[in-house]
Amino acid sequence: MKGTRLIAAVAVAALAACADGPTQPVAVDGTSDQRAGESLQPAESPTIVDIAVSVNEDTGEFSTLIAAVVEADLVAALSATGQRTVFAPTDAAFAALGLNADNIGDELEDDALRDILLYHVANGRRYAEDVVSSDQIRMLNGGFNDIAVEDGEAFIGDAQIIQTDIEATNGVIHVIDAVLLPSTDDGPGDGEDGDDDAGDGAEDDADDDADEEETAAESPTIVDIAVSVNEDTGEFSTLIAALFEAELVDALSAEGQWTVFA
């Protein structure tokens, strides 16, 4: 089954030690996993995938997440150039839903799994201080997650952020204690643009902010429709992720007329 694929993905990742303490960066040497046929350019190592594998080798807490990324064919996307922020659920978080590395590919269809995983990834490098300065964050599946701080603890959606600022060359990882599940009515809250300025991540997310400002008066745009259809059917999650990766959100949200073969 996917066990062979997982072993293959793990085999190419670097062996390294996770940083001590919850807010310390991780540094390793190694190579990223670039799948044959993928057009994405691999980032310098260690990538997000390398780091996840390395942390899992030390703690065993990301085996289900790694299996899910392999099953959903997102290894290349999370190993590519660009900057992303990943909110990584632990094995215990997946186990609370009855999911583990052995059954996740059987329990969830690939499209649904991709949609869930992309709901854990945001564009741009957002450190902990950037995350908590936002009210909402737009995720790569087109949905939004609320950010809250209660009694000194930070939350994204219903998940507590339990470890922060694990750095990779192409982004940063924050560990969370629950799996985030996208809803069909997911969207920005009243008065929120869904994406506050976020330090180092602000420049990377400029397209998101500009997109929301330009399309406020004349919605729905091509991008709005793609996101809406994806929320109902889950069939455009890869296309939406590709638009963000290629920085084409503004172009397809601007004035003018286009025909898109999606």
Side-chain angles (χ1 to χ4, degrees):
M1 198 170 61
K2 59 184 176 298
T4 302
R5 298 169 63 195
L6 175 58
I7 292 171
V10 171
V12 297
L15 301 177
C18 175
D20 298 333
T23 60
Q24 297 301 313
V26 176
V28 299
D29 294 322
T31 58
S32 63
D33 180 4
Q34 177 71 4
R35 286 178 171 270
E38 293 283 355
S39 60
L40 297 173
Q41 295 298 312
E44 295 179 0
S45 291
T47 67
I48 288 171
V49 174
D50 296 329
I51 295 297
V53 171
S54 175
V55 171
N56 186 63
E57 288 171 345
D58 285 344
T59 67
E61 65 182 2
F62 287 155
S63 61
T64 307
L65 177 62
I66 293 168
V69 169
V70 174
E71 180 69 27
D73 288 329
L74 288 175
V75 174
L78 294 178
S79 300
T81 55
Q83 294 296 311
R84 299 159 199 81
T85 299
V86 174
F87 296 90
T90 62
D91 281 359
F94 282 104
L97 299 177
L99 300 172
N100 55 55
D102 294 325
N103 71 6
I104 194 164
D106 299 324
E107 295 293 330
L108 295 172
E109 296 291 337
D110 286 352
D111 287 345
L113 183 57
R114 287 177 67 87
D115 192 46
I116 291 172
L117 291 176
L118 291 176
Y119 195 55
H120 291 75
V121 184
N123 200 34
R125 178 185 289 262
R126 294 171 177 267
Y127 293 103
E129 60 183 331
D130 306 321
V131 171
V132 298
S133 69
S134 302
D135 294 322
Q136 286 186 323
I137 296 179
R138 182 200 291 268
M139 315 310 288
L140 287 190
N141 77 329
F144 293 80
N145 267 310
D146 293 330
I147 302 297
V149 178
E150 301 175 3
D151 298 326
E153 304 292 347
F155 294 84
I156 178 168
D158 294 326
Q160 183 178 345
I161 303 173
I162 58 176
Q163 187 174 350
T164 64
D165 297 346
I166 304 175
E167 293 198 66
T169 57
N170 63 339
V172 62
I173 299 171
H174 306 299
V175 183
I176 58 178
D177 69 353
V179 177
L180 304 171
L181 298 176
S183 63
T184 55
D185 60 352
D186 185 44
D190 295 337
E192 297 294 341
D193 66 4
D195 223 19
D196 293 343
D197 289 342
D200 292 336
E203 183 175 351
D204 296 283
D205 288 328
D207 289 343
D208 290 353
D209 296 334
D211 169 49
E212 290 158 8
E213 293 173 2
E214 289 180 11
T215 62
E218 297 183 5
S219 292
T221 66
I222 287 173
V223 175
D224 295 328
I225 294 297
V227 170
S228 177
V229 171
N230 185 66
E231 289 174 344
D232 289 337
T233 67
E235 64 185 2
F236 287 153
S237 59
T238 305
L239 175 62
I240 293 168
L243 290 178
F244 278 100
E245 180 67 28
E247 298 183 351
L248 289 175
V249 172
D250 277 353
L252 293 178
S253 301
E255 295 181 0
Q257 295 296 314
W258 296 269
T259 299
V260 175
F261 296 91

